Amino acid sequence: MINIPKGTKDVLPSQSYKWQYIEDEIRKVCKLFNILEIRTPTFEHTELFLRSIGDETDVVSKEMYTFLDKGERSITLKPEGTASTARSYIENNLEAMSLPLKMYYLTPVFRYEAPQAGRLREHHQFGVEMYGSPSPYADAEVINAAYTLLSNLGVRDLYLNINSIGCPECRKKFNTALKEYLASNIDDMCDNCKRRFTANPLRILDCKNEHCKQIVSGAPKILDYICDDCKAHFQKLQEILTGEGIPFKVNSSIVRGLDYYTKTVFEFVTTSLGAQGTVCGGGRYDDLVSSIGGKPTPCVGFGMGIERLIMLLDANGKEFPSSHPEYFIACQSEQCRDMVRKIVSELRKKGHSAETDFMSRSVKAQFKYADKINAKYAVVIGESEVQSGKAEIKRMSDGEKQEKSLDDLIWTL
Ligand SMILES: [Zn+2]
Ligand SMILES: [Zn+2]
């Protein structure tokens, strides 16, 4: 037997209705917010991710699926969705469309991680990007889109944490203060933090190591270092969110894992999965487009993992709507099969979902099957039904029967 590769998962027919439901809700919300879909390839030139995400991040330094193709080009399977969107924005001159441009993607992403509980090497992400507006109203717009989706899906115990990590100017000052504070402790910190200390000290605030966390808890807060412009932006965002009725908390420990963030960063977290977990993360990345060769373009966006969302909704006891056939037309004998086919076809032409027997089972077994697939109504067609032109429609939920002429069944349902 050939097994599925480590860290990947099949979405089975018995589960796919959950995916379809979430994807439908995503499309509905994006339509409400006038967010258009973009589809980018599954793989890109490796350089795109080195330049956009930052080569000191865990994603790039340890987790990318990178290989040489037959033309000796370094190719990487998308580890996230934002960089590809930015590449496409520049390459296709999308700024020539009227700005702002709001886009969403639904895409598989690949990270070579140790496949612990819930950590997949291929997972699926929904993300939104808004290009062209530096306004805090744009930040609030994408936060609102995420909030609307999560609320519509019925995610419980949802909290929004926001922070500002400033612009490169204020971050320079903060990095100096942070390094001053950490200098006497860095020898006690984990190897990752030691590496980050020179390359990107801000990421030390993100370390999950308990001892590092303890040291970091006394570190200077970035909000005390941001410039007037960044401060005003963050202040305004809070006012807009309050006005929109979106509850939030300012949480100075959020820095997000990727290098391209500027100013606003945010996370929707929930306690529904036991320990506090992130459902959705995002922020502003005004330097991303220019970092990969485009004109400076303000952007703000977020991403959320579909697998995680499903896990969360399952934990919330969510009843996902699923689709079942409306009619099961049972066939009593081979002589009636053509009549059954005709009824099934006519029902479908009229927009009713209909199913029948393909296994030459007994009528009793066919009813069992109809029950198993959750058909709403079942009808048996046999010699007597064909002769009399009448049949009984059985409602499967309570067994209630109603006699109808076959013409009615075909033409008037
Ligand atoms: Zn600033
Ligand atoms: Zn650490």
Side-chain angles (χ1 to χ4, degrees):
M1 190 178 69
I2 299 168
N3 293 318
I4 195 168
K6 215 178 196 178
T8 62
K9 236 181 180 175
D10 297 315
V11 178
L12 299 174
S14 59
Q15 294 295 310
S16 54
Y17 68 99
K18 297 178 181 177
W19 288 73
Q20 290 172 342
Y21 167 73
I22 288 175
E23 288 161 7
D24 285 350
E25 291 299 313
I26 284 173
R27 295 202 158 92
K28 270 188 225 164
V29 169
C30 287
K31 206 169 173 184
L32 288 176
F33 282 78
N34 186 36
I35 306 169
L36 307 177
E37 185 175 10
I38 181 166
R39 301 187 190 197
T40 58
T42 305
F43 55 86
E44 297 271 4
H45 292 294
T46 302
E47 197 194 351
L48 172 65
F49 305 113
L50 297 183
R51 281 172 57 184
S52 58
I53 303 175
D55 44 15
E56 275 311 317
T57 57
D58 285 353
V59 175
V60 167
S61 61
K62 293 185 221 151
E63 297 168 357
M64 290 211 305
Y65 259 100
T66 298
F67 56 93
L68 287 180
D69 71 5
K70 288 181 181 169
E72 301 278 303
R73 286 170 288 253
S74 180
I75 293 292
T76 293
L77 302 183
K78 260 196 268 194
E80 51 95 64
T82 296
S84 294
T85 308
R87 193 262 314 135
S88 180
Y89 175 86
I90 299 167
E91 189 169 357
N92 295 293
N93 193 24
L94 296 186
E95 69 179 351
M97 292 172 76
S98 20
L99 293 178
L101 176 59
K102 290 185 249 178
M103 297 185 273
Y104 78 93
Y105 57 79
L106 268 163
T107 181
V109 293
F110 305 85
R111 292 193 190 177
Y112 199 85
E113 296 187 277
Q116 318 140 351
R119 289 234 147 170
L120 293 170
R121 289 180 175 175
E122 179 188 25
H123 75 268
H124 297 79
Q125 235 177 45
F126 160 57
V128 164
E129 324 273 3
M130 181 167 177
Y131 283 73
S133 171
S135 162
Y137 281 95
D139 304 40
E141 175 83 345
V142 301
I143 289 173
N144 200 354
Y147 181 71
T148 304
L149 175 68
L150 294 169
S151 307
N152 288 0
L153 291 173
V155 174
R156 291 209 298 257
D157 307 317
L158 194 65
Y159 306 92
L160 169 63
N161 289 325
I162 60 172
N163 191 22
S164 175
I165 56 169
C167 60
E169 277 315 302
C170 30
R171 209 169 318 155
K172 238 182 265 163
K173 272 186 252 158
F174 175 68
N175 279 347
T176 311
L178 183 62
K179 279 168 102 166
E180 244 164 56
Y181 167 82
L182 291 172
S184 54
N185 291 306
I186 194 68
D187 290 340
D188 297 335
M189 300 184 84
C190 74
D191 288 346
N192 278 335
C193 285
K194 282 185 191 130
R195 196 163 42 82
R196 291 164 182 154
F197 185 76
T198 34
N200 187 356
L202 192 64
R203 300 266 350 268
I204 292 179
L205 303 181
D206 212 19
C207 187
K208 302 286 179 273
N209 178 300
E210 279 307 320
H211 185 63
C212 296
K213 268 187 182 171
Q214 227 169 20
I215 293 170
V216 159
S217 66
K221 303 275 178 267
I222 191 154
L223 287 177
D224 297 330
Y225 290 80
I226 61 176
C227 67
D228 288 347
D229 181 38
C230 290
K231 211 173 268 172
H233 185 100
F234 193 50
Q235 197 55 47
K236 187 67 196 170
L237 172 62
Q238 294 178 57
E239 283 168 34
I240 302 164
L241 291 176
T242 305
E244 285 276 344
I246 300 174
F248 65 89
K249 265 204 298 220
V250 173
N251 182 338
S252 62
S253 70
I254 298 179
V255 294
R256 303 294 305 152
L258 311 176
D259 275 1
Y260 51 58
Y261 286 103
T262 49
K263 291 187 178 166
T264 311
V265 285
F266 64 89
E267 284 179 357
F268 283 94
V269 296
T270 172
T271 47
S272 291
L273 289 172
Q276 196 164 84
T278 306
V279 196
C280 166
R284 179 166 277 286
Y285 29 88
D286 293 344
D287 296 329
L288 173 63
V289 173
S290 55
S291 78
I292 55 171
K295 278 188 227 156
T297 307
C299 304
V300 55
F302 66 79
M304 58 176 99
I306 306 289
E307 281 86 350
R308 206 177 165 74
L309 204 50
I310 291 174
M311 221 161 77
L312 179 66
L313 290 170
D314 279 339
N316 283 178
K318 168 92 183 171
E319 299 238 7
F320 291 84
S322 55
S323 80
H324 305 294
E326 249 179 297
Y327 291 94
F328 183 86
I329 312 296
C331 181
Q332 200 164 43
S333 65
E334 286 309 309
Q335 287 76 25
C336 307
R337 200 164 286 281
D338 286 334
M339 184 57 157
V340 166
R341 287 297 323 157
K342 190 171 170 223
I343 294 172
V344 167
S345 294
E346 292 301 334
L347 284 168
R348 288 174 181 163
K349 274 183 205 160
K350 301 203 80 187
H352 299 285
S353 57
E355 180 60 293
T356 185
D357 169 65
F358 290 92
M359 310 295 283
S360 300
R361 289 187 171 115
S362 70
V363 169
K364 198 176 158 199
Q366 288 181 51
F367 266 80
K368 247 191 201 160
Y369 178 72
D371 202 37
K372 228 182 193 168
I373 62 173
N374 272 312
K376 202 166 171 199
Y377 300 102
V379 182
V380 188
I381 301 296
E383 304 272 339
S384 64
E385 280 80 10
V386 173
Q387 252 155 42
S388 68
K390 286 182 184 148
E392 269 184 350
I393 301 180
K394 182 181 171 188
R395 189 160 65 199
M396 298 298 279
S397 58
D398 57 5
E400 198 198 78
K401 287 177 182 165
Q402 202 194 342
E403 197 179 65
K404 283 221 171 193
S405 76
L406 291 188
D407 281 350
D408 279 355
L409 185 59
I410 295 173
W411 297 115
T412 63
L413 277 173

